[in-house]
Amino acid sequence: MLRAAVPLLGLPLAGAGITEEPTQEPGSPGEPPPGLALFRWQWHEVEAPYLVALWILVASLAKIVFHLSRKVTSLVPESCLLILLGLVLGGVVLAVAKKAEYQLEPGTFFLFLLPPIVLDSGYFMPSRLFFDNLGAILTYAVVGTLWNAFTTGAALWGLQQAGLVAPRVQAGLLDFLLFGSLISAVDPVAVLAVFEEVHVNETLFIIVFGESLLNDAVTVVLYKVCNSFVEMGSAKVQATDYLKGVASLFVVSLGGAAVGLVFAFLLALTTRFTKRVRIIEPLLVFLLAYAAYLTAEMASLSAILAVTMCGLGCKKYVEANISHKSRTTVKYTMKTLASCAETVIFMLLGISAVDSSKWAWDSGLVLGTLFFILFFRALGVVLQTWVLNQFRLVPLDKIDQVVMSYGGLRGAVAFALVILLDRNKVPAKDYFVATTIVVVFFTVIVQGLTIKPLVKWLKVKRSEHHKPTLNQELHEHTFDHILAAVEDVVGHHGYHYWRDRWEQFDKKYLSQLLMRRSAYRIRDQIWDVYYRLNIRDAISFVGGHVLSSTGLSLPSMPSRNSVAETSVTNLLRESGSGACLDLQVIDTVRSGRDREDAVMHHLLCGGLYKPRRRYKASCSRHFISEDAQERQDKEIFQQNMKRRLESFKSTKHNICFTKNKPRPRKAGRKKKDGVANADATNGKPPRDLGFQDTAAVTLTVESEEEESDSSETEKEDDEGIIFVARATSEVLQEGKVSGSFEVCPSPRIIPPSPTCAEKELPWKSGQGDQAVYVSSETTKIVPVDMQTGWNQSISSLESLASPPCTQAPTLTRLPPRPLGAEEPRAALDLLSDPRPGFAFPPSLAKAGRSRSESSADIPQQQELQPLMGHKDQTHLSPGTANSHWCIQFNKGGRL
Amino acid sequence: MGSSGSHATVIPDGDSIRRETGFSQASLLRLYHRFRALDRNKKGYLSRMDLQQIGALAVNPLGDRIIDSFFPDGSQRVDFSGFVRVLAHFRPVDEEEAGIRDPKQPEPLNSRMNKLRFAFQLYDLDRDGKISRHEMLQVLRLMVGVQVTEEQLESIADRTVQEADEDGDGAVSFLEFTKSLEKMNIEQKMSIRILK
């Protein structure tokens, strides 16, 4: 449906361009406007850019439409779809205008469409991988292309001699060699378009892709040499011309590379001084790279090689010099331009094929060419790989070879080159054009379509994306140095030796020259990985925060947004206010909405922010305000947090190293057990016990489940910094601990002694309402690597606090108290009147308290006991309401 | 140096070394020449000084540590078999060879584990089986450019240790070390082609 709509969509646009032309042409010059015209139609003045823009627009719209259906794009490569679309559009244009209006002009292609693609691929080329496989890439690019060109050309000539090609194809050996040279080169655009979607392993990709980029020099040379030979006529070609041809191979390739490197140097040097004019940094990158391309083109060197080398060479320094924003801009602009150019190329390729006036068909030639390029490609790959494997550490196996042979796609470069041929000199040009079109279409469509299933079927090693870890980065560097050192010891000047040399040279001279002083650091890869990890942490922290806050507000959304309250919120309010009246002597009765807000705020601050800040001794929860979030973000960017965490951990370890080192989860379980036991022994009123039991049971199950979840995920992800959905009882615990601690001393809360609230903590945090307040999203913010830190600190916290806690039986008497009621109050107090006085680090305070409380507070508790029992009995409904509330929230959170 | 080179008899214990390390005759011979070339005074063994005179090793940040790994247990000299044994870690892994290996025999020196162990002991200076934060910091100091401040280095070290540290003891054990690298193709990254 949608695909069918594309041509329709494109038709009026494309058609408009064509149909308006003839109508306006006679219009405007025919009758000169006598005076001031109110309305003037000036199509001619805008025609060219307008058409360009329209074409790009059509291509982009087509792209959007293709990607509406994921099924189609997962099966069919985009390049195929675009070519087909081009065919359809070309057909429509042909039908409307009666002549082929548009086609892929070689000039446009080489000057405007190709450079962005090559720059993009050169700039984002994984340089290490490229140089690691440089030998193989160069072999395939140079030897392989020469082999393909000569064998294909010669074989076609043989075919003609055998009489299988119709005699109307007037071509000699040189013509066929010329054709062979242009048809033999693997095309970077086509390869990139197809292989980007296939995701084969990096080595395979870089070899095929690197070959397609570097063979340009060979193709250009071969094409030019053959072309000039053809133009001279084979009789006049002398021996020196052959020598010149060989020499020009070196001139063109090395010259192109040199031009690229010179411009890369200039570019890097220029960006060193853009400190005050950051805004033009991206422009400089594009300008100088394009200048490199044009310069190479001007000197008839390999322009593709020039831009590739420019991108490859400058990237390291430019990336270090330009600002972060410029980096992003460069990246996106480059990708946009490249993808745009690629789209237009394929579409125009399709359109050009329609123009039947340009081509002439010969089945023998077409079929022969198709067979020969496939056959000789495969043969060449096998032969070269056999030789290469003698020298390669990791040999390329058979499957790799199959993919490499099959991945030799031809594309727009071949087409543009064949269009450039001079019909007067090459009489068989039309036949060559037709053959090239068929070959290009065949490789892009048939091979492009089948390569994915083939890769799947052969079980080619796919590329695995794993996030960089500091360890890997560091160890990789270590390995490099080790290998370089071993090569030194062995006395062999191999690859590692030279790489090491280069790195030292780069460090000593090049980087000094080309990089800003301030940029050195970014250059360092270990630092870079560290930096990026930190940024990712920060982003996901902030992102997770937003996520969790929405997740949190989800259950209470109805109460906030709708005037007509749902039953849940009604229930909530009633229970909340009722409990409030009852539990504590009222100071003010606040609305449920306020309370909810307070709860949310409290939780957001406590649960999400605290874990990072809590190690600051002076940190007070009362000070948490809006701008605290900003500060916190900055903090992460300054990478302080990690260190703080670590230092805290180490000090904590020093304190309680021998005491206990259980994993926090065990501690949690132990505590829970303790609670359960205490419950059983406590001799509560049966009713209470019942209620409590149910509550406890459900919640325990919950947390158990989550625990197992989290441990699983942890196992899975232990090698990376991955943010897992994890029920961090620790996080919550932390929030709760400090939260209620600060609540306690509040003078307004009269009857429940501070210690009551405190003792309630383990219960609360252990199983209580953790699921109530914290949706699973909240927990996403805890990076795995930090969890260990947290775990440890929690465990040390608990190790300090738990012995008295578990011993004190009183602590378990509190649960029957409706918790939901006190919690909001606590939060509210917190909000309404910040008290900076209580700024102990929770751990210390808690430790102190827990030591004292067992002796002093038990009587108090016991005094309170009747009161509480009374409360529970009279206000059972709020209690149950609370439990309902919990469950409701659970559901909400789970959803 | 002056050896004729064509016959293997010049190598003392050539066969047993070959069996132990898996080197081919040609590589062993090549290494032997190198050994003799490094051995300046024809002592028959190498001292630290001999290795330190290799120019490029002096600028290698890990050069000293690698030299040390040739001299285990504080010995001051390394003979040819010891020399080869260290280098055998970097022999490329032969797949067929790994397939038919007798399980009773000790793991070959160029196995993944032994390659990793070699790298690990470059970090683990005090040989306690763990890379402590301090040891990590020392390595990082060698590897990371001078522009990174000490404070930043420390935080990198913290993070690195934390990333790999699974049991929470604030240090990276060998097991954790291998785990942090399990995605990496060590056989490939820690091999030198010519050492067949």
Side-chain angles (χ1 to χ4, degrees):
Chain A
M1 261 319 253
L2 284 168
R3 266 195 299 159
V6 179
L8 295 178
L9 203 72
L11 172 62
L13 295 172
I18 302 141
T19 46
E20 272 160 29
E21 235 175 318
T23 51
Q24 285 307 312
E25 239 167 331
S28 33
E31 33 189 275
L36 185 67
L38 275 179
F39 183 78
R40 229 153 43 103
W41 194 261
Q42 294 178 313
W43 167 248
H44 289 291
E45 282 166 37
V46 295
E47 180 181 353
Y50 206 92
L51 282 180
V52 169
L54 274 185
W55 276 118
I56 295 173
L57 182 67
V58 170
S60 311
L61 287 177
K63 222 171 172 155
I64 295 174
V65 173
F66 294 152
H67 282 276
L68 284 179
S69 159
R70 188 165 293 172
K71 206 174 163 191
V72 172
T73 41
S74 68
L75 285 176
V76 187
E78 210 182 77
S79 45
C80 294
L81 291 173
L82 283 167
I83 280 197
L84 293 177
L85 169 70
L87 273 178
V88 173
L89 279 185
V92 169
V93 170
L94 195 68
V96 170
K98 300 284 183 277
K99 60 174 179 138
E101 195 74 29
Y102 306 100
Q103 66 152 342
L104 189 60
E105 297 288 348
T108 320
F109 173 72
F110 282 118
L111 288 185
F112 301 112
L113 292 175
L114 193 54
I117 298 176
V118 179
L119 175 62
D120 173 59
S121 48
Y123 192 76
F124 292 107
M125 176 102 71
S127 53
R128 178 70 198 269
L129 209 57
F130 179 77
F131 285 112
D132 279 358
N133 293 294
L134 189 63
I137 292 172
L138 277 178
T139 312
Y140 290 119
V142 178
V143 181
T145 310
L146 286 174
W147 158 270
N148 281 350
F150 281 112
T151 50
T152 311
L156 283 173
W157 183 70
L159 207 65
Q160 195 205 27
Q161 297 303 97
L164 289 172
V165 176
R168 59 177 188 274
V169 181
Q170 301 165 353
L173 177 60
L174 267 180
D175 296 277
F176 279 119
L177 283 181
L178 173 60
F179 179 62
S181 73
L182 66 87
I183 202 75
S184 64
V186 176
D187 183 68
V189 185
V191 164
L192 202 63
V194 169
F195 271 70
E196 268 193 343
E197 297 178 22
V198 177
H199 304 298
V200 294
N201 61 70
E202 296 131 332
T203 315
L204 196 51
F205 176 76
I206 202 79
I207 287 178
V208 176
F209 179 54
E211 178 203 338
S212 71
L213 276 179
L214 297 197
N215 68 16
D216 173 68
V218 182
T219 314
V220 166
V221 170
L222 268 182
Y223 178 79
K224 277 183 185 150
V225 168
C226 288
N227 207 9
S228 57
F229 283 2
V230 167
E231 284 177 6
M232 283 194 302
S234 52
K236 289 179 198 153
V237 179
Q238 291 162 347
T240 49
D241 290 325
Y242 291 107
L243 281 181
K244 273 187 202 160
V246 174
S248 76
L249 177 62
F250 290 96
V251 172
V252 167
S253 54
L254 296 180
V259 167
L261 289 178
V262 166
F263 274 92
F265 182 83
L266 285 178
L267 177 52
L269 198 62
T270 320
T271 51
R272 197 186 154 177
F273 302 105
T274 50
K275 197 176 175 186
R276 284 158 214 273
V277 272
R278 291 283 195 195
I279 202 80
I280 62 160
E281 280 169 345
L283 190 65
L284 278 175
V285 174
F286 290 103
L287 277 183
L288 278 165
Y290 195 47
Y293 186 90
L294 292 180
T295 310
E297 192 76 43
M298 184 176 70
S300 56
L301 303 171
S302 167
I304 292 188
L305 211 54
V307 173
T308 308
M309 291 317 276
C310 182
L312 207 59
C314 74
K315 186 186 182 193
K316 181 173 160 190
Y317 311 105
V318 168
E319 292 273 281
N321 280 338
I322 63 180
S323 73
H324 185 72
K325 278 177 187 162
S326 302
R327 269 205 291 281
T328 314
T329 314
V330 166
K331 186 176 169 184
Y332 268 86
T333 318
M334 225 175 248
K335 293 275 174 210
T336 310
L337 285 179
S339 124
C340 189
E342 190 189 278
T343 314
V344 170
I345 285 175
F346 280 115
M347 206 173 66
L348 285 180
L349 213 53
I351 290 176
S352 319
V354 176
D355 185 6
S356 60
S357 67
K358 285 214 176 71
W359 48 274
W361 180 272
D362 183 78
S363 308
L365 184 66
V366 169
L367 293 177
T369 312
L370 266 184
F371 173 75
F372 286 139
I373 61 159
L374 288 173
F375 175 73
F376 285 119
R377 166 88 184 164
L379 190 63
V381 165
V382 170
L383 289 178
Q384 290 172 74
T385 311
W386 182 79
V387 175
L388 278 173
N389 275 350
Q390 310 294 315
F391 300 101
R392 273 181 76 86
L393 184 61
V394 195
L396 294 160
D397 57 15
K398 293 224 168 50
I399 292 177
D400 290 342
Q401 294 175 35
V402 170
V403 175
M404 271 159 61
S405 327
Y406 204 67
L409 306 178
R410 291 4 183 227
V413 173
F415 180 77
L417 286 179
V418 83
I419 292 287
L420 276 179
L421 288 178
D422 185 357
R423 198 192 302 255
N424 299 325
K425 302 276 165 55
V426 188
K429 181 189 172 188
D430 290 351
Y431 294 98
F432 288 156
V433 172
T435 313
T436 309
I437 288 176
V438 171
V439 166
V440 169
F441 275 43
F442 179 83
T443 53
V444 171
I445 295 179
V446 177
Q447 285 178 248
L449 268 176
T450 47
I451 197 163
K452 223 174 193 177
L454 183 79
V455 162
K456 228 177 246 167
W457 181 64
L458 289 173
K459 297 193 180 65
V460 178
K461 248 192 283 160
R462 299 297 191 94
S463 62
E464 345 172 309
H465 281 284
H466 41 255
K467 287 160 186 155
T469 63
L470 268 176
N471 274 286
Q472 277 193 10
E473 190 64 33
L474 173 66
H475 300 327
E476 222 159 303
H477 277 253
T478 319
F479 294 158
D480 287 348
H481 286 302
I482 293 174
L483 287 188
V486 170
E487 277 197 353
D488 290 335
V489 170
V490 175
H492 169 75
H493 290 186
Y495 171 66
H496 299 285
Y497 173 82
W498 289 112
R499 207 198 48 226
D500 208 49
R501 282 277 112 124
W502 164 255
E503 267 169 20
Q504 268 155 24
F505 171 76
D506 174 57
K507 205 178 220 162
K508 251 188 206 152
Y509 305 106
L510 268 185
S511 295
Q512 305 275 339
L513 186 63
L514 296 179
M515 271 190 213
R516 281 177 207 177
R517 301 252 163 268
S518 58
Y520 279 144
R521 205 189 299 135
I522 304 167
R523 199 202 77 107
D524 195 280
Q525 280 155 321
I526 296 177
W527 169 262
D528 188 50
V529 170
Y530 176 69
Y531 183 76
R532 276 187 284 137
L533 283 177
N534 266 323
I535 286 192
R536 209 177 62 201
D537 276 6
I539 288 172
S540 32
F541 183 84
V542 176
H545 195 137
V546 172
L547 207 78
S548 62
S549 67
T550 52
L552 274 174
S553 56
L554 225 157
S556 60
M557 260 328 185
S559 77
R560 284 187 188 187
N561 295 338
S562 60
V563 188
E565 261 114 25
T566 60
S567 59
V568 181
T569 42
N570 269 332
L571 205 62
L572 227 165
R573 275 181 195 193
E574 276 167 27
S575 68
S577 56
C580 181
L581 271 168
D582 227 87
L583 249 179
Q584 289 137 17
V585 180
I586 338 135
D587 40 10
T588 45
V589 181
R590 287 163 228 255
S591 75
R593 189 173 300 184
D594 284 349
R595 192 162 294 122
E596 260 173 57
D597 284 350
V599 172
M600 288 312 158
H601 182 91
H602 173 68
L603 267 159
L604 281 174
C605 294
L608 298 173
Y609 183 60
K610 201 67 180 172
R612 297 200 174 215
R613 295 276 297 189
R614 74 197 143 128
Y615 304 123
K616 227 179 177 178
S618 63
C619 171
S620 158
R621 294 177 62 78
H622 301 286
F623 279 129
I624 293 165
S625 53
E626 289 310 305
D627 69 330
Q629 297 299 333
E630 285 165 30
R631 253 189 293 127
Q632 169 194 320
D633 294 347
K634 271 183 205 145
E635 213 172 76
I636 301 157
F637 277 80
Q638 290 160 353
Q639 297 98 26
N640 284 338
M641 154 209 94
K642 265 277 116 83
R643 205 161 40 79
R644 201 170 292 150
L645 194 120
E646 187 59 37
S647 68
F648 173 80
K649 199 172 80 182
S650 54
T651 52
K652 262 350 237 186
H653 270 286
N654 290 340
I655 293 170
C656 57
F657 206 81
T658 49
K659 235 176 170 179
N660 88 344
K661 240 173 57 172
R663 301 306 302 269
R665 238 169 253 128
K666 277 183 203 145
R669 237 171 248 145
K670 199 172 68 193
K671 211 163 44 187
K672 233 178 284 157
D673 291 348
V675 171
N677 290 342
D679 271 355
T681 53
N682 226 4
K684 285 266 155 85
R687 223 168 167 189
D688 276 355
L689 199 63
F691 157 56
Q692 160 116 34
D693 267 351
T694 51
V697 164
T698 48
L699 289 166
T700 313
V701 167
E702 198 109 67
S703 53
E704 214 78 87
E705 195 181 71
E706 278 162 357
E707 258 173 28
S708 61
D709 272 354
S710 60
S711 57
E712 263 170 36
T713 44
E714 194 179 45
K715 260 173 224 148
E716 267 169 31
D717 302 323
D718 52 10
E719 82 294 330
I721 324 266
I722 293 148
F723 295 84
V724 289
R726 157 171 194 148
T728 36
S729 51
E730 297 91 38
V731 181
L732 245 204
Q733 226 165 301
E734 224 34 55
K736 291 282 160 61
V737 166
S738 32
S740 35
F741 159 55
E742 276 151 2
V743 166
C744 301
S746 159
R748 291 193 203 164
I749 306 168
I750 299 154
S753 70
T755 46
C756 288
E758 272 162 43
K759 279 175 199 156
E760 174 190 275
L761 290 177
W763 181 86
K764 257 163 121 187
S765 49
Q767 32 175 273
D769 32 9
Q770 65 177 41
V772 174
Y773 292 115
V774 176
S775 66
S776 54
E777 282 101 321
T778 321
T779 57
K780 272 188 189 148
I781 61 156
V782 187
V784 167
D785 66 331
M786 286 169 57
Q787 277 169 9
T788 44
W790 283 348
N791 290 348
Q792 281 153 15
S793 42
I794 303 296
S795 68
S796 42
L797 270 177
E798 278 164 359
S799 72
L800 285 175
S802 56
C805 276
T806 41
Q807 280 157 20
T810 45
L811 103 107
T812 52
R813 286 181 203 166
L814 284 167
R817 218 155 44 95
L819 282 166
E822 207 223 24
E823 196 58 25
R825 264 200 63 81
L828 221 55
D829 286 341
L830 240 177
L831 268 179
S832 56
D833 119 333
R835 265 175 299 284
F838 301 96
F840 304 110
S843 58
L844 279 178
K846 196 178 172 189
R849 271 179 283 133
S850 48
R851 268 183 219 114
S852 64
E853 73 191 349
S854 50
S855 57
D857 302 332
I858 291 172
Q860 224 176 346
Q861 282 286 320
Q862 280 160 350
E863 279 171 26
L864 278 169
Q865 192 56 40
L867 181 67
M868 290 172 70
H870 170 71
K871 258 182 275 163
D872 282 328
Q873 276 164 4
T874 47
H875 290 273
L876 194 68
S877 52
T880 41
N882 258 337
S883 73
H884 272 292
W885 189 55
C886 295
I887 289 153
Q888 297 275 13
F889 261 140
N890 273 340
K891 279 178 189 157
R894 300 241 139 214
L895 280 173
Chain B
M1 277 281 203
S3 78
S4 53
S6 58
H7 31 90
T9 47
V10 284
I11 305 173
D13 296 335
D15 285 339
S16 66
I17 293 176
R18 206 141 59 88
R19 231 171 294 123
E20 189 189 0
T21 59
F23 278 122
S24 69
Q25 184 76 35
S27 324
L28 208 59
L29 203 62
R30 177 202 187 108
L31 289 177
Y32 189 62
H33 288 316
R34 178 65 181 169
F35 180 80
R36 300 251 312 238
L38 287 173
D39 179 11
R40 303 235 160 185
N41 324 319
K42 304 281 168 288
K43 312 181 279 289
Y45 62 86
L46 295 181
S47 65
R48 262 168 223 272
M49 277 298 287
D50 290 326
L51 288 178
Q52 275 157 1
Q53 269 160 357
I54 303 172
L57 264 185
V59 282
N60 193 317
L62 294 175
D64 283 342
R65 292 175 183 227
I66 285 158
I67 291 176
D68 283 344
S69 66
F70 280 94
F71 303 95
D73 314 321
S75 65
Q76 289 307 310
R77 51 181 70 181
V78 57
D79 59 0
F80 181 61
S81 70
F83 179 73
V84 174
R85 211 174 291 128
V86 172
L87 294 177
H89 286 100
F90 301 95
R91 198 165 63 85
V93 181
D94 240 337
E95 261 133 45
E96 307 111 55
E97 196 181 300
I100 56 162
R101 194 168 61 83
D102 189 359
K104 275 174 284 181
Q105 274 181 1
E107 218 175 340
L109 284 169
N110 65 345
S111 73
R112 180 189 170 94
M113 273 302 154
N114 277 327
K115 283 178 194 291
L116 280 173
R117 202 159 281 138
F118 184 88
F120 185 78
Q121 50 97 17
L122 291 184
Y123 289 86
D124 183 22
L125 285 184
D126 59 4
R127 301 274 182 276
D128 66 345
K130 277 175 182 170
I131 305 172
S132 67
R133 180 178 167 275
H134 183 65
E135 282 162 344
M136 192 67 92
L137 190 60
Q138 280 179 315
V139 175
L140 277 167
R141 202 172 288 142
L142 293 173
M143 312 279 289
V144 178
V146 272
Q147 304 300 319
V148 179
T149 65
E150 189 66 22
E151 194 181 332
Q152 287 159 338
L153 263 185
E154 275 177 28
S155 53
I156 296 179
D158 286 341
R159 175 131 201 179
T160 315
V161 171
Q162 255 182 22
E163 205 178 78
D165 185 16
E166 286 183 342
D167 57 9
D169 61 351
V172 182
S173 67
F174 182 62
L175 201 71
E176 287 160 350
F177 180 75
T178 53
K179 256 195 172 158
S180 72
L181 289 172
E182 64 187 355
K183 287 258 172 76
M184 215 196 262
N185 190 348
I186 303 298
E187 290 89 338
Q188 185 184 335
K189 288 245 156 77
M190 283 281 278
S191 298
I192 292 177
R193 193 183 52 80
I194 52 137
L195 293 176
K196 275 236 161 121

